[in-house]
Amino acid sequence: MKTLTKCSLSLLAVCVSGVLHAAETPTSTWPERSPIVFWGDRANEDWSYVDNLAEADKSFSEKLKRLDISEDGDWKVSFAGNVKVALDNRWNHMYDSDIRKDNELRSRMQFSADVTYQDWMRMFGEIRTNYTNLDAAGPVDDAGTDFHQFFAEFKLLDDGEQYLSTRLGRQEIYLNEWQMMNREPTPVQSSWNAVSAKYKVNGINFDAYYGEEVFPLFEDGSFAGNWDDKTNGKKSTGLFANWRMDFGAMQAYVMSNELTNSSFVNAPDGDVDIQVLGIHAHDFVSEGFGYMVDGVYQFGDHAGKDISAYMAYADFNYNWKADWNYRVGMNLHYASGSDANSDKVNTFNPLWTGDPVGFAHDGAYGNAMQFGGYSVIEYSPKQSIITGFMSTWRANTEDAIYTLNQDVLFGENSDEKYAYTQFYLQFHNYLTGNLKSEVNMYYALESDYTRDVVGTSSDDIARIELAFIYNF
């Protein structure tokens, strides 16, 4: 399984505790009300506020939401969509000059309909389709057309003190989704046939799920078949809790997962039985000091090998307002790696965590130690410039470096501890309330390590991506 991150909407946005149908977001809690913001999972948006808007005051998106389909208004339907098209002159993220992929074209589209009855029952369906010109694309970029989500949701209790709802059917399940720095959510592939529940009492939000992953079939060298997504037979169970304290929002979770070797690095063939313990805290502010920290521990077994791996991440930032809004911050990241020929799997596998690095998710993630700094300038609402760098070392010199998606970023064919430093410059601008453009530029400095595993050509360590995203 490959999990992509979905980062963010605004420099000053409230962060999201995005577990299942998320807990404390402005727009992703049903039935709480607030102005809408586009998120990655359209199933978590709450458009009920448009019931109180005059037709003349509605935007194009609002005119497609909460449409009466019965005379008494008990039945309503909403329509939504997300289209992303990107042209990527990619530095190959495996740093192999022989298979460099120039001018990659990607498109990802999702269209949904949401039928509600008296705001206590709903049916949500979403179709996903995607395309890429890559010869050997993964399921996220080239999985054809299929149902991404199709579930029924029931609100079982809502008395002002307690809230309980449940979902049954195909649905997305997330761990963490943090929205910041005006980055646009990216539709993902992960779908589950699952039952999930949300319970809220005394300011504590509990989420639980039990399900089986749905995955496109790989046939004839690609994932591009239509209407062929199938469950893979692997079950997963998770329990999450999140709450708010004086110093920020907290989240703790435990999961038990069955996986396959195709989604697990540095392990022999065979099924994986892995448990995950995690804790998270954040406090993002519009002025003053903010932070985000994560800690994750994985344990279990894989074909007789013990699993014991961990990851830690921290983001510390300072924010202030003037004519423009500013943020400066620093990132610290550590993910463990394995010794060669070890009888234990110590490489951290980012199967269930979002990408905390966010702006550098194509950079090193597993078996990596990283330090970076960044700045964000929001010169008008939802118009921002992001700059920064990320320096990377190997946590274990006998192990390769891996991306968030568990591709080999660098092989282990070097004795160097220090890997490389990547600089980035990004422009994220909303052209209209629905249409956004992104220009993302990256450049990794040459080093002894890159010369060992890449060669001397700098063409393979530069990248520029142009993307347009349209939401309605």
Side-chain angles (χ1 to χ4, degrees), residues 157-169:
L157 176 63
D158 186 13
D159 61 5
E161 296 183 356
Q162 300 181 80
Y163 175 85
L164 175 64
S165 67
T166 185
R167 288 182 182 178
L168 304 171

Side-chain angles (χ1 to χ4, degrees), residues 60-293:
F60 170 72
S61 296
E62 290 166 338
K63 290 180 179 179
L64 297 175
K65 309 300 187 292
R66 307 284 294 179
L67 305 175
D68 290 337
I69 53 177
S70 64
E71 292 184 0
D72 56 10
D74 286 345
W75 290 90
K76 297 180 183 294
V77 63
S78 300
F79 300 97
N82 176 289
V83 178
K84 179 174 182 176
V85 179
L87 182 65
D88 196 346
N89 186 0
R90 173 190 294 267
W91 55 262
N92 179 268
H93 56 213
M94 288 178 278
Y95 279 90
D96 186 338
S97 58
D98 294 332
I99 56 172
R100 177 177 167 81
K101 302 175 179 68
D102 287 328
N103 301 324
E104 173 189 349
L105 177 65
R106 301 190 308 274
S107 66
R108 299 170 182 168
M109 295 180 284
Q110 291 176 264
F111 303 100
S112 63
D114 190 1
V115 177
T116 62
Y117 176 71
Q118 292 185 347
D119 285 337
W120 69 267
M121 186 276 287
R122 63 190 289 233
M123 291 290 298
F124 182 85
E126 182 176 50
I127 292 175
R128 173 223 74 231
T129 186
N130 45 24
Y131 167 80
T132 181
N133 62 347
L134 293 184
D135 293 332
V140 172
D141 290 314
D142 193 26
T145 302
D146 216 306
F147 279 103
H148 184 57
Q149 302 195 74
F150 192 31
F151 63 80
E153 182 172 3
F154 303 92
K155 183 170 64 177
L156 306 176
L157 176 63
D158 186 13
D159 61 5
E161 296 183 356
Q162 300 181 80
Y163 175 85
L164 175 64
S165 67
T166 185
R167 288 182 182 178
L168 304 171
R170 185 172 296 187
Q171 55 193 277
E172 285 191 358
I173 294 176
Y174 302 139
L175 176 54
N176 290 327
E177 295 300 335
W178 309 112
Q179 313 294 325
M180 56 184 173
M181 294 192 298
N182 190 21
R183 288 187 59 85
E184 181 70 20
T186 302
V188 298
Q189 175 58 44
S190 299
S191 295
W192 294 77
N193 285 345
V195 54
S196 64
K198 177 180 182 62
Y199 178 64
K200 181 177 182 179
V201 63
N202 296 328
I204 304 176
N205 300 273
F206 297 96
D207 292 271
Y209 76 89
Y210 174 78
E212 186 174 6
E213 185 188 8
V214 178
F215 211 68
L217 292 182
F218 187 78
E219 292 183 342
D220 300 324
S222 77
F223 292 94
N226 294 321
W227 311 106
D228 62 358
D229 290 8
K230 306 293 183 185
T231 54
N232 62 7
K234 304 302 180 184
K235 306 296 194 302
S236 180
T237 304
L239 177 63
F240 309 83
N242 62 81
W243 62 98
R244 180 164 290 279
M245 305 182 73
D246 292 340
F247 54 83
M250 298 287 296
Q251 182 183 62
Y253 51 91
V254 57
M255 289 176 288
S256 178
N257 310 303
E258 296 177 354
L259 302 167
T260 61
N261 191 38
S262 62
S263 59
F264 208 84
V265 297
N266 261 7
D269 292 336
D271 289 337
V272 178
D273 184 4
I274 185 171
Q275 284 70 50
V276 181
L277 300 176
I279 190 166
H280 171 94
H282 75 266
D283 189 19
F284 284 109
V285 297
S286 60
E287 291 190 273
F289 286 98
Y291 74 92
M292 180 172 72
V293 295

